Amino acid sequence: MKVNEIILRGIPAAPGIKVGKAHLLGGEDYLVQKSSISEENIPTEILRFEEALIKTRKEILSLQEKVAKGMGTEHAEIFDAHLLVLEDRMLIEEVISRVKKEKIAIDYIFSEVLKRYADVFAKVEDEYLRERISDINDVGKRVLRNLLGKKHMGFEELNNPVVVVAHDLSPSDTAMMYHKSVIGFVTDIGGKTSHTAIMAKSLEIPAVVGLETATQQVKEGDPLIIDGNSGLVIINPKQETLGKYERKKEKIRDLSKIYITLKDLPAMTLDGRQVKLAANIELPQEIPSVKEHGVHSIGLYRTEFFYMNRKDLPSEDEQFEAYKYVAEEIKPESVIIRTLDLGGDKFLSQLQIPHDMTPFLGWRAIRFCLARPDIFKTQLRAILRASQYGNLKIMYPMISGVEELKQANKLLEESKKELRARKIAYDEGLKVGVMIEVPSAALTCDILAKEAAFFSIGTNDLIQYSLAVDRTNEKVAYLYEPTHPAVLRLIKSIIEAGHKAGINVGMCGEMSGEPAFALLLLGLGLDEFSMPAIAVSRIKQIIRLVNFKDAQDIAHKALDLSESKEVEKFAKEQLHRILPKFYLKS
Ligand code: PEP
Ligand code: MG
């Protein structure tokens, strides 16, 4: 049968090109036929059910072991909830007694009971309990699969490389990205800076998001090309397309050879301006690969991933160990630990955060931490304790004005006092900075600079808040423009205000790792660029090929343009002029 090549266009979320077979996540729904059974078949049906339960239990235990080995036991605890569903006596007895009474095949009864459970949970007020629906569904599907004798399709247990195709990926799904067989990610929804995109970049797995209909167009096992540079997904690629992509991959390999030669060189312009290039990390496990990329400091450690995929909150000791490890590995260079930034598209079920109508404008980040000093101070004490072991800095997310900064600092002082009472030492000179990601903070940087040791511009949020564009919504992704004159003006004024006050200004949003914007940001005077480690060499290559003076001129000219697209075109032309041979056009 002749199959047609189909090209889907989405949003490039993490670079790289891979060819592999599609694996649809969460797309398996089993059609269970209602069929009657005779009285004498009842014991066999019950036995079949018991065997399926045992088999499922074994599967979950083995999966739990794998995740524990790959990511640590805390992250494997999520499967305890799955095991509990499996051991729910009420559920099991209801199934068995209905089979006996109604004389209907057990698969059907089981799926009916499961649906009823899910409906009941969907109606409860309690957020934590409501989120258990996904556990029930997950386990239910496993049991049904075993009852129906179907082959297991869960990607955690796949042995061949696959490109995962999903409608969306929950933060807990991101844990599965660690699985070696997953070579790419494709989702229907999401934007460039959604948590899925950020995590994929850190793990160096190509990802394309916001494809809208990928789960409808791709079938299980379809051959796919995922092009994370251009945001394309090609279903059933023709021989000719495969050849074209082989050549693209070749070019990427050539570029990586060039990047290796830059590894130990400074990020210095031809006329001697040096900037700092740092890495963004989400988990301490990323440190070895950060070092492999020749990156020596961490400009953003997003700590919230530590709190995800687990039943409880991380203790002070547990956090201390993680922060200490990162501090020791990176010293004498610095690590900027960003305090908990929950909310938006990152939720924790155990905290029962209500789903706001507009989550990014709701109870998130520092707002949440100031309202829950118990959780916030536990983290602050852990960071303070670890500060003795390296060069740590603290940074607060989503500060909207100086009052919040002062309140956060007050809790930091209380945390220090608590440690002193426990006779635990910490770095007395530990610097505290703020993320500038809310327009009100950007416009009051002069005030904030009096209380902050440094600024880091969070463009992922700054763009969404200043342009009123949800960063995770693919429908408005075309409006999410880092080159919008409003964004450029804000960046310029943040840098100027910081410099006027004598403090360093960095950027840790995704914009700082985009080659097209490197010249603009350099020219605007940015001191530190923090990005996924994979992007560092590209940016270094650009910085090393220009004069700061020229970059300043470019930034100046860009600020005179009135449309985002014009700015982008201009920035790309300038980049192409400097890097004609090596710039990989997308
Ligand atoms: C940002 O907003 O730019 C940022 C770096 O923080 P996050 O993406 O975690 O919101
Ligand atoms: Mg942010």
Side-chain angles (χ1 to χ4, degrees), residues 192 459 462-464 466-467 477-491 507 511-512 514-521 524 554-555 557-573:
K192 229 181 172 62
T459 45
L462 187 64
I463 297 169
Q464 81 162 342
S466 52
L467 304 182
Y478 71 100
L479 290 171
Y480 189 91
E481 313 233 58
T483 49
H484 192 293
V487 177
L488 292 190
R489 287 182 195 185
L490 284 176
I491 295 174
M507 179 182 286
M511 186 178 181
S512 67
E514 293 281 343
F517 311 135
L519 296 174
L520 296 182
L521 298 175
L524 288 172
I554 292 172
K557 286 196 182 117
L559 279 160
D560 272 345
L561 300 172
S562 34
E563 291 178 24
S564 322
K565 287 279 176 287
E566 274 180 284
V567 177
E568 194 180 330
K569 186 165 165 274
F570 172 67
K572 285 188 172 162
E573 277 164 10

Side-chain angles (χ1 to χ4, degrees), residues 279-550:
N280 291 352
I281 59 165
E282 279 68 52
L283 291 167
Q285 284 91 327
E286 292 167 45
I287 294 293
S289 95
V290 165
K291 289 186 174 175
E292 270 169 38
H293 284 285
V295 190
H296 303 292
S297 62
I298 306 294
L300 169 66
Y301 175 3
R302 288 184 167 95
T303 52
E304 50 281 2
F305 287 86
F306 204 154
Y307 293 67
M308 290 174 171
N309 299 324
R310 51 188 296 159
K311 284 191 312 208
D312 54 354
L313 289 168
S315 68
E316 181 185 314
D317 280 349
E318 199 186 318
Q319 292 189 65
F320 160 68
E321 289 300 336
Y323 305 150
K324 173 171 173 263
Y325 163 78
V326 178
E328 283 179 330
E329 287 291 313
I330 298 297
K331 78 177 178 195
E333 289 300 327
S334 57
V335 177
I336 301 180
I337 302 194
R338 180 182 66 189
T339 55
L340 190 55
D341 184 5
L342 284 179
D345 65 342
K346 292 171 286 199
F347 285 101
L348 289 194
S349 47
Q350 72 267 33
L351 287 178
Q352 309 197 5
I353 303 179
H355 277 282
D356 293 315
M357 287 281 280
T358 46
F360 279 107
L361 298 180
W363 203 39
R364 72 170 281 216
I366 200 70
R367 301 170 180 181
F368 169 81
C369 284
L370 293 175
R372 289 295 304 264
D374 52 330
I375 296 174
F376 191 37
K377 286 206 290 179
T378 304
Q379 179 176 41
L380 292 174
R381 285 192 306 268
I383 301 173
L384 285 166
R385 281 170 60 189
S387 66
Q388 287 187 80
Y389 297 88
N391 181 2
L392 294 187
K393 295 177 187 176
I394 288 179
M395 173 162 82
Y396 303 128
M398 222 197 156
I399 293 286
S400 63
V402 77
E403 302 90 327
E404 276 171 339
L405 173 56
K406 286 184 179 163
Q407 284 169 39
N409 276 339
K410 192 164 161 270
L411 293 172
L412 180 65
E413 286 312 311
E414 283 177 24
S415 312
K416 288 181 181 171
K417 202 166 147 203
E418 284 158 16
L419 288 184
R420 285 197 295 271
R422 281 159 60 188
K423 304 219 177 330
I424 297 176
Y426 56 86
D427 174 8
E428 303 275 353
L430 181 127
K431 293 200 167 57
V432 181
V434 291
M435 287 196 73
I436 306 293
E437 49 184 351
V438 179
S440 57
L443 293 168
T444 51
C445 270
D446 54 330
I447 306 175
L448 288 165
K450 295 191 186 120
E451 309 283 330
F454 61 91
F455 289 155
S456 184
I457 309 175
T459 45
N460 301 345
D461 280 314
L462 187 64
I463 297 169
Q464 81 162 342
Y465 294 137
S466 52
L467 304 182
V469 182
D470 182 339
R471 64 191 258 188
T472 61
N473 186 338
E474 68 287 350
K475 297 269 192 305
V476 287
Y478 71 100
L479 290 171
Y480 189 91
E481 313 233 58
T483 49
H484 192 293
V487 177
L488 292 190
R489 287 182 195 185
L490 284 176
I491 295 174
K492 178 174 181 275
S493 76
I494 299 165
I495 297 175
E496 281 174 0
H499 287 176
K500 198 160 166 211
I503 64 174
N504 255 32
V505 182
M507 179 182 286
C508 58
E510 299 304 299
M511 186 178 181
S512 67
E514 293 281 343
F517 311 135
L519 296 174
L520 296 182
L521 298 175
L522 177 72
L524 288 172
L526 196 70
D527 302 301
E528 175 172 328
F529 296 61
S530 193
M531 63 196 84
I534 190 175
V536 168
S537 308
R538 281 193 312 202
I539 302 297
K540 194 193 278 185
Q541 185 192 26
I542 296 165
I543 290 170
R544 289 182 60 82
L545 286 170
V546 284
N547 278 308
F548 179 48
K549 177 81 197 48
D550 294 337

Side-chain angles (χ1 to χ4, degrees), residues 49-60:
F49 184 46
E50 280 165 357
E51 278 169 1
L53 291 176
I54 294 169
K55 192 158 180 223
T56 309
R57 188 182 156 74
K58 275 193 194 146
E59 278 172 15
I60 295 175

Side-chain angles (χ1 to χ4, degrees), residues 56 62 74 97 102 111 163 248 251 257 262 358 404 457 488:
T56 309
S62 124
E74 331 74 75
S97 78
E102 297 170 33
S111 65
V163 175
K248 267 201 175 193
K251 193 159 179 188
K257 282 186 205 139
L262 299 174
T358 46
E404 276 171 339
I457 309 175
L488 292 190

